[in-house]
Amino acid sequence: MAIPAEKQFASAERQAVTHILHPLDPLTADEIEAAAAILKEASQLGPRVRFETVVLKEPDKEVVEGFSEGDPISREAFLVVLDNDREATYEATVSLNDKEVISWEHIPGVQPRIMFDEFAECETTVKSDPEFQEALRKRGISDPSLVMVDPWSAGYYGYPEEEGRRLALARNFLRSSPNDNGYARPIEGLSVLVDLNKMEVMRIDDYGVVPLPPQDGNYGAEFLDQFGGNFRQDLKPLDITQPEGSSFTVDGHRVTWQKWHLRVGFTPREGLVLHTVGYEDQGRIRPVLYRAALSDMVVPYGEPGGDHYRKNAFDAGEYGIGSLTNPLTLGCDCLGEIFYFDADLNTGSGKAFTIPNAVCMHEEDYGILWKHTDWRTGQVEVRRSRRLVISSIATVGNYEYGFFWYFYQDGTIQLEIKLTGIINTASIEQGEDPKYGSIVAPGLIGHIHQHFFNFRLDMSVDGDANTVQEVNTVAEPLGPDNPHANAFYAQATTLKSEVEAQRVIDPMSGRYWVVTNPSSANALGRPVGYKLMPGENILPFADPSASIMKRAGFMAKHLWVTPYAADELSATGSYPNQHPGGAGLPEYTKKDRNVENTDLVLWYTLGYHHVPRPEDWPVSPVGYCGFSLKPVGFFNTNPVLDVPPSAHHNGACHG
C-alpha cells in the first residue's frame, strides 16, 4: 500500500525495501548474496575471484509494460566475474526463483571495471615496493605511510608489454599529516604501472625530480586558521519547512508527485537510474521515458608530457560511479523535507553492502510558474512553481559529481550535473610558465581538461513508436517572401537513420531535437512531442587519431539515435577498460539502422570545459552543465492552469 510522504517522516526518512513489488525493483542485499552463492556453488570458482557486477537482469519491456500489481515476478541476476588466476572475465545469468545458473560465458580479451578493493590493494602494493621507496628517498620523502596513491585506469596505447594485462597507473601525492590534502603536493614525475591480476609492480617510470609545492592546500573546518581564522558571521538561518509534509508518495521504488509517475533504480556502474517516467493527463498516465541514466563519462586532459597524456578516466565504465556514491547528509547535501533511497551493491567477494541515503528526493520552490497582470482591470494572476528533485553524488578520487534530475509541474524534465571537489594537480618548477595548465598555487598547476558525459534516454513519447526531428531556425532570404528583410522560421528535418542522426549542437541556429509520436496527435491535429534542449556544451580538442577519441568515440557527436536494443546500454560498450577503441556508439551505428517511427533511444553527449582558476583551489566551487526535455504539443494547452494560487501574508496571489 502506498504511504503518503507526510506520514513517513518529519524531516528525513528512508524506507527499507526488502520485498519485491515490481519487476524493475533493484536487487536486495539478500538477492545479491544469493546470486553470488548460487554461482559459486555451480561454477566452482577459484579462490582469487572478484565479483565486478551483481545487478538485476532487467526483464523485457513487454513484461514490464504488461505487469499488474500482484502478478508473479521472475527475478534474474546478471553477474560479471573476474578470475585473477586465469586472468579471465566471465558473464553469468542466475535465476533467483529457481536458484540455478541460466548462463555462464567466458568473454575473451576484455577487462572489467577496476573495483574498489583493488584500489586499496594497489596502494599497499605500490607503497611496499623497494624501488618505489628508493624513488621517494631521491625526492627527500622518507615516510611512505604519508604517500597517497591514486590508481588510474591505464587506457590503451598499443604498447606490446601491456597487451593482455590488467593494469592501473598509480599517481602519487604526499600528505604532511594524516588529514592533510595530499593533492597539494603531487610527487611529480613518478608513476607506477601495476598488474592488478598479479597485484605486483610491473614498471616504475621516473621522469625526473620536481620540487614539491611549498604550501598546504587544506580546506576543512579543522584548518580554519589557514584561511582567515573565522567563519563568516553574517549568515542568518534559512529554514525550509513543510508543516503538512511533502507532496510526493513513495511505494517501494515507485514515486508519484503532482502528475508525475516514475520509478527509482540504481546500478553500480550507472548510479541513479529512472524508469517508466510518465505524466498523468486527461485521466491516464502518458509515458515519456522508459529508462534514463548516465551511460558513461570520460575526462580527457590536455597535457602531453610525462605520463599525463594517459589521464583519460572513464568514471562509469572503468570505475563504476554508482559504487562510489556518497551517503548523503540532511542539511548538508539535501535541505528540507527529505526522502532517501538506500542502494544495495556488491563487494568484490560477492557480499552485499549498503550505501545509506544514496539517493535524495525532495521538493523545491522554483519561483514563479506563470504570471500576468491585466493593466486595464488590475487583475493579477500568478502561480508559484515547484519541482521534484531526485539526486545522487559520487566521489571519484579527487572529483565530486552530483547528478540532479528535476521534474517540473509543466511537464519539463531537467538533468543538471554539479561538478566540484579537487582539481587534478601537478607540480612545476618555480618560475615555470605552463602551457597546458594554470598555476593555482606556488609550484602547483591544474591541467586544462574536459568532462564529457553521455546520457542514454530510452524515449517513449505516448508510446514506443517515435521519430526524431532536428529543428533549426532559418533566416528567410531577401526576396518576394521577405520584402522587409525580417522573416525567419523554424525548419524541422526528420532524422531517418543512425548515421543521419549523428549531430552536433548549433546555438546560432537555435538547434534542438524533437521526439514525436506520429501515431498520437494533440487537439490541434499535430503529432505530440518532447524536445531535447541542449545546455552549455563543447566538442573535444583531441585529434581524431588520439587514443581517447578511438575509445570514447561518443564525444565526437552531441546527439546519437539508435533503435532500442536491450544489450546496448553504454556509449562506450560493455568493457571500456583498456579497450583499444571503436566499441559502443560507433559500433552500434555501423549498420545505419532505421530510427524513424520505431522504438528509439536518444544518446546525448554534453561537455564541460575546464581551464582551472586559482579560485578552483584548494576545492572547486560547483560548476554546472546539463540539458532539458520539454513538451512540444504533448499537451493541448498550458498544463499548469490548474495549479492553485499560493496564500500570501497580505492576501492572495491573485485578484
Side-chain angles (χ1 to χ4, degrees):
M1 181 178 68
I3 307 170
E6 62 268 22
K7 300 293 186 183
Q8 295 173 352
F9 55 81
S11 58
E13 188 60 82
R14 65 178 187 260
Q15 178 176 300
V17 180
T18 57
H19 58 290
I20 305 305
L21 301 175
H22 189 273
L24 288 175
D25 283 355
L27 294 184
T28 65
D30 287 343
E31 287 181 315
I32 288 170
E33 296 194 351
I38 291 167
L39 186 60
K40 284 179 181 178
E41 182 177 355
S43 303
Q44 299 180 343
L45 298 175
R48 297 186 65 246
V49 166
R50 301 180 195 267
F51 288 82
E52 184 244 46
T53 295
V54 186
V55 295
L56 175 73
K57 186 176 188 299
E58 294 182 14
D60 293 340
K61 281 188 176 183
E62 294 77 10
V63 172
V64 174
E65 292 169 348
F67 177 77
S68 297
E69 186 176 351
D71 287 352
I73 300 175
S74 175
R75 301 284 283 176
E76 293 181 357
F78 173 74
L79 301 91
V80 177
V81 178
L82 171 66
D83 189 319
N84 289 127
D85 288 331
R86 296 175 181 171
E87 302 190 2
T89 302
Y90 301 88
E91 291 181 357
T93 302
V94 169
S95 169
L96 293 165
N97 297 66
D98 299 329
K99 297 181 173 53
E100 65 179 16
V101 177
I102 298 174
S103 66
W104 171 255
E105 182 183 3
H106 173 227
I107 311 297
V110 302
Q111 295 293 343
R113 292 182 289 109
I114 301 175
M115 289 162 263
F116 192 74
D117 53 351
E118 290 180 291
F119 288 152
E121 293 175 31
C122 180
E123 181 168 36
T124 300
T125 298
V126 170
K127 289 163 72 169
S128 61
D129 183 79
E131 186 180 347
F132 179 72
Q133 293 174 1
E134 178 59 31
L136 293 180
R137 286 191 289 271
K138 189 167 69 172
R139 290 163 168 81
I141 302 169
S142 59
D143 185 359
S145 70
L146 291 174
V147 173
M148 192 172 77
V149 178
D150 273 9
W152 282 57
S153 51
Y156 182 88
Y157 294 89
Y159 301 140
E161 67 275 17
E162 298 182 7
E163 290 289 340
R165 304 182 74 164
R166 179 170 176 79
L167 302 173
L169 191 66
R171 294 186 169 88
N172 311 285
F173 307 83
L174 181 66
R175 298 182 191 267
S176 61
S177 64
N179 291 334
D180 181 51
N181 174 16
Y183 295 112
R185 293 187 175 90
I187 304 173
E188 188 61 31
L190 180 62
S191 63
V192 186
L193 197 62
V194 178
D195 186 317
L196 295 177
N197 275 322
K198 295 180 172 61
M199 204 52 72
E200 65 182 24
V201 171
M202 174 182 164
R203 186 179 75 236
I204 294 180
D205 294 320
D206 193 331
Y207 298 96
V209 176
V210 177
L212 293 168
Q215 293 184 357
D216 292 338
N218 294 309
Y219 50 86
E222 64 185 287
F223 300 101
L224 179 61
D225 61 321
Q226 296 184 15
F227 43 88
N230 292 294
F231 288 118
R232 300 182 186 193
Q233 301 298 311
D234 55 353
L235 281 174
K236 305 299 183 184
L238 194 162
D239 294 324
I240 298 173
T241 61
Q242 293 179 271
E244 299 180 24
S246 298
S247 304
F248 51 74
T249 299
V250 181
D251 185 12
H253 292 274
R254 182 172 182 267
V255 174
T256 56
W257 177 77
Q258 298 282 286
K259 298 187 176 184
W260 285 107
H261 297 249
L262 57 96
R263 305 192 67 84
V264 174
F266 202 92
T267 74
R269 176 167 173 163
E270 303 160 296
L272 176 58
V273 180
L274 300 177
H275 295 280
T276 59
V277 178
Y279 190 99
E280 189 174 342
D281 178 44
Q282 301 179 29
R284 66 185 181 94
I285 301 172
R286 301 175 63 190
V288 177
L289 279 164
Y290 180 79
R291 192 182 194 276
L294 174 71
S295 158
D296 211 335
M297 57 175 289
V298 65
V299 188
Y301 284 76
E303 164 63 61
D307 71 343
H308 296 296
Y309 71 97
R310 297 184 77 147
K311 287 181 178 176
N312 303 297
F314 293 73
D315 290 341
E318 290 182 333
Y319 300 140
I321 201 162
S323 63
L324 302 175
T325 291
N326 299 170
L328 302 178
T329 305
L330 180 65
C332 302
D333 303 297
C334 306
L335 188 63
E337 296 286 328
I338 306 298
F339 187 90
Y340 290 113
F341 294 91
D342 295 346
D344 292 324
L345 303 176
N346 64 283
T347 66
S349 65
K351 297 297 183 182
F353 74 97
T354 299
I355 302 175
N357 301 358
V359 176
C360 169
M361 183 170 68
H362 66 285
E363 295 176 281
E364 290 180 346
D365 180 271
Y366 199 63
I368 61 171
L369 177 62
W370 57 264
K371 179 176 181 175
H372 183 63
T373 299
D374 188 324
W375 63 271
R376 293 179 176 85
T377 65
Q379 180 78 10
V380 179
E381 290 287 345
V382 59
R383 303 293 186 269
R384 289 202 67 77
S385 174
R386 69 173 66 181
R387 63 186 183 182
L388 180 70
V389 186
I390 304 176
S391 64
S392 67
I393 302 172
T395 299
V396 187
N398 52 299
Y399 250 102
E400 264 77 16
Y401 299 97
F403 299 94
F404 289 72
W405 289 94
Y406 301 122
F407 293 86
Y408 295 86
Q409 293 160 299
D410 67 351
T412 297
I413 303 169
Q414 180 187 1
L415 181 279
E416 183 175 66
I417 303 168
K418 300 183 181 183
L419 304 91
T420 180
I422 303 174
I423 57 174
N424 184 260
T425 54
S427 301
I428 58 170
E429 298 279 359
Q430 291 292 334
E432 183 179 342
D433 185 14
K435 181 177 183 179
Y436 303 103
S438 308
I439 298 174
V440 297
L444 190 72
I445 65 170
H447 288 139
I448 188 170
H449 61 281
Q450 299 178 292
H451 303 255
F452 283 94
F453 306 83
N454 183 273
F455 284 84
R456 181 182 181 274
L457 307 171
D458 185 351
M459 303 301 297
S460 182
V461 178
D462 250 2
D464 289 338
N466 291 168
T467 293
V468 181
Q469 292 184 325
E470 178 174 286
V471 180
N472 294 282
T473 296
V474 178
E476 184 74 53
L478 186 64
D481 292 333
N482 187 20
H484 305 291
N486 69 306
F488 57 96
Y489 60 98
Q491 184 179 69
T493 304
T494 298
L495 306 177
K496 298 182 179 182
S497 73
E498 290 178 289
V499 172
E500 192 177 331
Q502 295 175 19
R503 309 295 296 163
V504 298
I505 63 167
D506 184 0
M508 295 303 100
S509 72
R511 179 173 295 172
Y512 60 87
W513 299 281
V514 180
V515 180
T516 68
N517 187 327
S519 302
S520 180
N522 58 27
L524 302 174
R526 307 294 296 173
V528 301
Y530 255 81
K531 67 178 178 180
L532 193 160
M533 287 292 298
E536 177 182 336
N537 214 328
I538 199 166
L539 285 169
F541 285 89
D543 187 83
S545 64
S547 172
I548 189 58
M549 292 304 299
K550 297 174 183 177
R551 300 180 62 231
F554 73 86
M555 294 191 296
K557 303 293 181 182
H558 294 121
L559 182 77
W560 303 70
V561 184
T562 62
Y564 170 79
D567 60 345
E568 295 179 1
L569 285 175
S570 174
T572 55
S574 299
Y575 298 97
N577 188 17
Q578 297 180 231
H579 195 284
L585 283 168
E587 180 68 29
Y588 303 157
T589 56
K590 275 183 177 179
K591 294 181 181 178
D592 197 19
R593 295 167 293 186
N594 170 65
V595 293
E596 185 179 14
N597 198 20
T598 190
D599 188 0
L600 57 82
V601 176
L602 296 189
W603 308 74
Y604 182 66
T605 303
L606 57 116
Y608 181 83
H609 191 70
H610 195 176
V611 181
R613 314 165 295 158
E615 291 86 350
D616 291 323
W617 180 255
V619 63
S620 297
V622 167
Y624 303 87
C625 59
F627 63 89
S628 296
L629 294 168
K630 288 181 170 289
V632 178
F634 189 79
F635 303 107
N636 293 330
T637 188
N638 182 344
V640 287
L641 296 176
D642 58 351
V643 172
S646 304
H648 190 269
H649 69 284
N650 287 327
C653 291
H654 69 112

